[in-house]
Structures are given as C-alpha cells and as structure tokens.
Amino acid sequence: MFEDYLSWKPFFEIVPMKVEDCVEISELHGQRFPRRWNDGEFQNLLLQGGVFGFAARQTNAFFSQPLGGFVLSREAAGEAEILTVAVGEKFGRQGLGWRLMQAALREASSRGAESMFLEVEAANEAAVRLYGKLGFHTVGERPAYYKAADGTRSSALVMSRVLR
Ligand SMILES: CC(C)(COP(=O)(O)OP(=O)(O)OC[C@H]1O[C@@H](n2cnc3c(N)ncnc32)[C@H](O)[C@@H]1OP(=O)(O)O)[C@@H](O)C(=O)NCCC(=O)NCCS
C-alpha cells in the first residue's frame, strides 16, 4: 500500500480545448508568461475559424481534473502556427509539452496544413529544445524583438516544420 503511494504519479489525457476551459487556461498562461491573456482573449481566439487547441487534464486526481497544460494553434490556407503553449510548472518535464504539441501537429495536418510555424524567445531553452526535438528548424530571427519589464531586449526565433 505504502509502495503504491510512493509510485503514484499524475496521469493526463490530451483533450480538445473548450470555451469553458478558458478561465483556467488564462490563469495558467499568467503563471508562465509575463503578460497574461485574459479568458475573453482565449475565448475570442478559440471561436475564430481555423483556431483549435488542446488541454492536458489529469485523470487520476481525487476531486477534479486539474489542468496540466494547453496549446492553442491556428490553421489557414495550408499553413499552421502555434499561438501559445504552456505547461504548469509542477507538471514540467513529464512529456506534456511534447504530447500537446503532437496533438496540435496532428490536428493541423488533418486540417490540410503543410507546414507549421512558431515564434519563440531565443533564450527560452526549454521551448527551443522541445521544438527542435519535434523537428522544427530556425528559419528566421528577429533581433531585440521582446522587451522585458526592466527594458532589456531579447531576440525571437521563427521556427518551422513540414507536416507531410
Ligand atoms: C516549454 C514547455 C511548454 C515544455 O513543456 P514540458 O512539458 O516541460 O516539456 P516536455 O516534458 O514535453 O519535454 C520535451 C522536451 O523538451 C525539452 N525540455 C523541456 N523542458 C526543458 C528544460 N527545462 N530544459 C531543457 N530542455 C527542456 C527537452 O528536450 C525535453 O525532452 P527530454 O525530457 O526527453 O529531455 C514548458 O517549459 C513551459 O510551459 N514553459 C513556459 C511557457 C513557454 O515558454 N512556452 C513556449 C513559448 S514559445
């Protein structure tokens, strides 16, 4: 019994993002990014044509299905982009970012996209590594693109991947 307790770990399923998820998603977004997108912004995006998302929901929690992470993406005219992706800090490095991104890649492909683009801060090592592992390559750089609250600037990388 005690051994069961020690080996217990959270399990997650990746499910389509719904409008009802947007409050929680906005909260998690605010924990992981300096400028939080509010729930209305997420709702408006999700209701736009071509926009889709996925949420990672814990399936073995006692009273609810906590949100582990999410990804929001858009497909238009054969091209897809990642609008935002984040995983809760306490659930990091458990493969959720990978699984969410795979779900977005699959969905974009099934909607007819031939490539996927994204933009990432060059200094964001975790994300850059994740995208590299998923087959994304750097196709452009925007020097001094992001501005932090203290005024310092950092570059953005534009990365892309073929889907077929
Ligand atoms: C980037 C992010 C989504 C990764 O999510 P995650 O669930 O922790 O990632 P995974 O567990 O699926 O990791 C997959 C791979 O990504 C890379 N990676 C993830 N976190 C990393 C870290 N902290 N340092 C270095 N590499 C990392 C590794 O290559 C990892 O594979 P490995 O564990 O076999 O070495 C997460 O760190 C996050 O939400 N960050 C804050 C928000 C953000 O930066 N979003 C991206 C904006 S463009």
Side-chain angles (χ1 to χ4, degrees), residues 33 85-87 92-98 124 126 129-131 133:
F33 293 100
V85 55
V87 168
R93 215 63 191 266
Q94 294 177 33
L96 288 185
W98 171 269
N124 187 343
R129 279 187 184 234
L130 168 64
Y131 301 145
K133 207 171 165 185

Side-chain angles (χ1 to χ4, degrees), residues 69-97:
F70 65 86
V71 61
L72 192 65
S73 180
R74 171 162 44 208
E75 189 278 325
E79 261 186 14
E81 63 179 319
I82 296 295
L83 299 173
T84 181
V85 55
V87 168
E89 214 155 9
K90 66 178 173 178
F91 300 122
R93 215 63 191 266
Q94 294 177 33
L96 288 185

Side-chain angles (χ1 to χ4, degrees), residues 18-153:
K18 300 190 297 275
V19 164
E20 305 87 86
D21 297 324
C22 288
V23 170
E24 262 180 291
I25 282 171
S26 165
E27 274 167 23
L28 179 52
H29 185 275
Q31 290 163 17
R32 302 306 326 252
F33 293 100
R35 193 194 77 76
R36 170 179 172 169
W37 297 0
N38 66 41
D39 54 315
E41 289 175 273
F42 274 104
Q43 282 177 13
N44 287 339
L45 280 166
L46 197 54
L47 294 171
Q48 280 177 22
V51 175
F52 56 89
F54 293 93
R57 287 274 174 203
Q58 190 178 341
T59 54
N60 62 343
F62 291 111
F63 301 114
S64 61
Q65 290 205 309
L67 179 71
F70 65 86
V71 61
L72 192 65
S73 180
R74 171 162 44 208
E75 189 278 325
E79 261 186 14
E81 63 179 319
I82 296 295
L83 299 173
T84 181
V85 55
V87 168
E89 214 155 9
K90 66 178 173 178
F91 300 122
R93 215 63 191 266
Q94 294 177 33
L96 288 185
W98 171 269
R99 290 173 62 195
L100 287 160
M101 285 293 297
Q102 290 285 5
L105 287 162
R106 267 197 305 274
E107 179 65 20
S109 182
S110 76
R111 288 173 180 236
E114 296 190 345
S115 57
M116 182 172 266
F117 285 81
L118 58 85
E119 195 180 87
V120 57
E121 191 171 350
N124 187 343
E125 190 188 341
V128 171
R129 279 187 184 234
L130 168 64
Y131 301 145
K133 207 171 165 185
L134 285 159
F136 283 84
H137 296 283
T138 302
V139 293
E141 182 164 359
R142 298 179 175 140
Y145 185 73
Y146 298 107
K147 188 177 175 191
D150 66 3
T152 55
R153 291 192 168 268

